[in-house]
Amino acid sequence: SDDAIGNNNNVDVRQGFLTFGTPDAGTVKLGRDYGLFGQAAILGDMTLFGAGAPVAAVQRNRVTLGHIGAGYTYLATYGQVSYTLPAASGFSATVALMSPVDASGTTYTGRSSPQLQAAATFAFTGGKVWAGLKSQKFDDPAGAGFTMNGAEIGGSASLDAFGLLVNVQSGKGIGVVSDGDSGPRKQTNYIVQGTFQATPRLKLGLGWGESRLRDAAVGTDLRSNSNLTGGLYFALTKSLTLTAELSHTASKDVAGDTAKLDGVAAGAILFF
């Protein structure tokens, strides 16, 4: 597929890869898997077990978004060749060449050169910090293209029953939902999340995220998406977690108009 997210009419194989390596030489991955940019933020988001912003978005009846487009850009899936350095003293790093993708909903294509992504993580007692990069050239048959460049930095930590996660992404053309979907506009994404392990089974959390764009052409262009979600996550068994969330989502355009959505979500997630 030449699209990072749209496989609605195909078998949606997001992960199909092999790895080989040694503890001393590092690890090579070949195949299709999730990207590196945004991985720590989305996998650490409590709404991964719930809904977050309960909107139809680009894939009706299929997925919820969490803080995608309102706190971070989706990490997406790519055909890739990646190399991970041997882990040493809590430090690990990966660099990858990804199959280029087209920019969803635009005329921009990514056929001329691969996408480059890199990520590094340093783990310490009680937490970790990370940084990431991504870059790809987009062509436009109707005119000039652009080069997507994005960077992120974040961290998570825990102290007794309390947990904190913070992540910031910024760049040009990194996309609201997927790579390049906002064209060459500059963008910054923020997410802040706090959690409290009230009992061995019950976790409470509050997370806020926002995605802000610049360089708009017309007043109806998107200026920002934000989402605030409060969640309750109860581990009924080791495999089954019950969830309940309240959320408030707001979207603003350049002209100052705002659309708001208040949501309630309840359900369960099964691990197997």
Side-chain angles (χ1 to χ4, degrees):
S1 171
D2 63 355
D3 191 307
I5 62 170
N7 283 292
N8 289 323
N9 299 315
N10 304 312
V11 176
D12 192 352
V13 180
R14 301 192 181 197
Q15 293 176 288
F17 59 87
L18 60 87
T19 61
F20 58 90
T22 68
D24 295 327
T27 303
V28 174
K29 178 189 292 181
L30 304 174
R32 184 172 179 84
D33 198 7
Y34 290 103
L36 305 173
F37 188 86
Q39 189 173 118
I42 194 170
L43 294 182
D45 188 348
M46 66 184 192
T47 65
L48 189 65
F49 302 145
V55 297
V58 297
Q59 298 174 313
R60 291 184 180 274
N61 303 318
R62 186 172 172 209
V63 297
T64 55
L65 289 184
H67 281 99
I68 297 170
Y72 47 72
T73 302
Y74 183 50
L75 73 163
T77 50
Y78 308 84
Q80 59 187 270
V81 178
S82 72
Y83 170 67
T84 300
L85 292 169
S89 302
F91 177 81
S92 62
T94 302
V95 62
L97 289 177
M98 311 288 192
S99 296
V101 296
D102 294 342
S104 300
T106 76
T107 59
Y108 295 106
T109 62
R111 304 183 187 282
S112 61
S113 59
Q115 183 172 146
L116 173 66
Q117 292 196 22
T121 301
F122 177 71
F124 54 90
T125 302
K128 61 181 179 179
V129 293
W130 58 79
L133 299 169
K134 70 175 179 178
S135 180
Q136 181 192 301
K137 181 180 178 182
F138 284 97
D139 300 318
D140 187 356
F146 70 96
T147 298
M148 172 187 69
N149 288 306
E152 73 173 342
I153 186 169
S156 63
S158 59
L159 178 62
D160 296 328
F162 294 92
L164 177 68
L165 179 145
V166 178
N167 194 74
V168 180
Q169 300 175 336
S170 186
K172 176 181 179 180
I174 60 177
V176 177
V177 176
S178 67
D179 298 338
D181 65 11
S182 57
R185 297 178 66 186
K186 295 178 181 178
Q187 181 176 334
T188 304
N189 303 322
Y190 314 88
I191 184 170
V192 180
Q193 173 184 282
T195 58
F196 175 64
Q197 193 72 45
T199 73
R201 290 189 175 188
L202 176 63
K203 177 183 285 189
L204 307 176
L206 184 67
W208 172 83
E210 183 175 58
S211 296
R212 297 185 60 85
L213 293 94
R214 292 182 287 169
D215 308 323
V218 296
T220 55
D221 284 346
L222 181 67
R223 171 65 70 194
S224 67
N225 284 328
S226 64
N227 172 263
L228 176 67
T229 296
L232 180 154
Y233 309 90
F234 183 77
L236 189 64
T237 70
K238 290 183 178 180
S239 301
L240 181 65
T241 297
L242 306 180
T243 72
E245 293 177 342
L246 298 175
S247 66
H248 175 75
T249 305
S251 298
K252 298 180 181 180
D253 65 14
V254 174
D257 296 320
T258 302
K260 298 180 179 180
L261 171 67
D262 294 313
V264 178
I269 180 169
L270 180 69
F271 300 89
F272 59 91

